Amino acid sequence: MKDVYTDRLLEVTDVPLHVRLEMPEGGKAPRTAVLIFHGFTGHMEEPHVIAAAQAARAAGCIALRAELYGHGKSGGTFRDHTIPRWVDEIDALSAWAAALPGVKRVVLCGHSQGGLAVMLSAARRAGETAGLALLSPAVMIPEGARRGELLGQRFDPSRVPDEFPTWEGLTLRGAYLRTAQGLDPFSAAAAYRGPVLLVQGTEDEVVPRRCAEELAERYADCRLEWLPGANHCYDGHVAEYAAILRAWFDVLA
Ligand code: FER
């Protein structure tokens, strides 16, 4: 396994970011690096994140799984994370991956809040991103923050609290809410002209169906794949999900 993967703490921003770099299956010389990001409270060992990395490797790509600020083994604390900070990190990790030997193209893949952050990064660096795989992207977060409703809890959107308790003792700060209020994922979709795969379960309990449909209309070149019966993390449907990703990475490899 030594030649196949390496774990690193990258210093591309002001905190160390934990990444795992995996080379393609079969010793092929890779030209495409697929960067894969988890969602809110997620990490790189979740089954759907591992499956995305495996699909990229099977398609002959480098798979680079990364844990973003305040998550997994990366630096920072959960309570201090914000979505714009994740977007800055994705920019920096993309630049790092683009400089790997032999790499010609960078593809971004993100689940849920990580998918939202990928969309925002791609929009402002459109020419540098060869394609996107958006996995149930959490595009309803900004609208929820503007309305004063996140994670099933209410707050006054004009007087954002300093602390916002979520679950299992995890608390967000006002900065998460305030910065989320200013994000516009649907304009970000219109700003990106490259190829986009959008995957979502028909039984997603977190992201409404209309969000995926509206996003697919906003992107210039988007394939929307519904996974029948699948929930937000594709529990019990990871094989179908992985097959869709594999076919997409084959096209972009
Ligand atoms: C929310 C709904 C979903 C929210 C965050 C998410 C902070 C993120 C989900 C994920 O990344 O899996 O109201 O508020």
Side-chain angles (χ1 to χ4, degrees), residues 79-153:
R79 69 199 307 271
D80 286 321
H81 96 280
T82 66
I83 296 166
R85 186 180 248 283
W86 277 20
V87 179
D88 289 344
E89 290 172 344
I90 293 169
D91 290 354
L93 291 165
S94 293
W96 185 84
L100 288 169
V103 168
K104 303 269 185 290
R105 287 183 290 276
V106 173
V107 170
L108 301 179
C109 174
H111 177 249
S112 198
Q113 180 171 295
L116 169 62
V118 154
M119 291 175 54
L120 298 166
S121 171
R124 67 187 190 193
R125 300 175 309 99
E128 297 164 50
T129 309
L132 305 181
L134 303 176
L135 314 172
S136 318
V139 289
M140 72 300 161
I141 293 176
E143 206 184 291
R146 287 190 282 272
R147 252 199 343 264
E149 197 174 343
L150 282 181
L151 301 165
Q153 297 182 72

Side-chain angles (χ1 to χ4, degrees), residues 6-149:
T6 46
D7 265 316
R8 302 195 195 187
L9 282 173
L10 292 183
E11 302 276 353
V12 292
T13 61
D14 57 345
V15 300
L17 295 177
H18 175 225
V19 304
R20 180 167 301 159
L21 180 78
E22 295 172 281
M23 297 306 283
E25 265 178 15
K28 285 177 242 168
R31 287 172 303 178
T32 301
V34 179
L35 275 57
I36 302 158
F37 304 99
H38 57 79
F40 183 82
T41 73
H43 56 81
M44 65 164 68
E45 303 295 355
E46 294 177 284
H48 55 282
V49 177
I50 295 171
Q54 194 47 41
R57 294 186 58 223
C61 304
I62 288 176
L64 186 75
R65 282 184 265 166
E67 290 171 333
L68 296 167
Y69 187 97
H71 285 66
K73 294 179 182 153
S74 287
T77 57
F78 176 82
R79 69 199 307 271
D80 286 321
H81 96 280
T82 66
I83 296 166
R85 186 180 248 283
W86 277 20
V87 179
D88 289 344
E89 290 172 344
I90 293 169
D91 290 354
L93 291 165
S94 293
W96 185 84
L100 288 169
V103 168
K104 303 269 185 290
R105 287 183 290 276
V106 173
V107 170
L108 301 179
C109 174
H111 177 249
S112 198
Q113 180 171 295
L116 169 62
V118 154
M119 291 175 54
L120 298 166
S121 171
R124 67 187 190 193
R125 300 175 309 99
E128 297 164 50
T129 309
L132 305 181
L134 303 176
L135 314 172
S136 318
V139 289
M140 72 300 161
I141 293 176
E143 206 184 291
R146 287 190 282 272
R147 252 199 343 264
E149 197 174 343

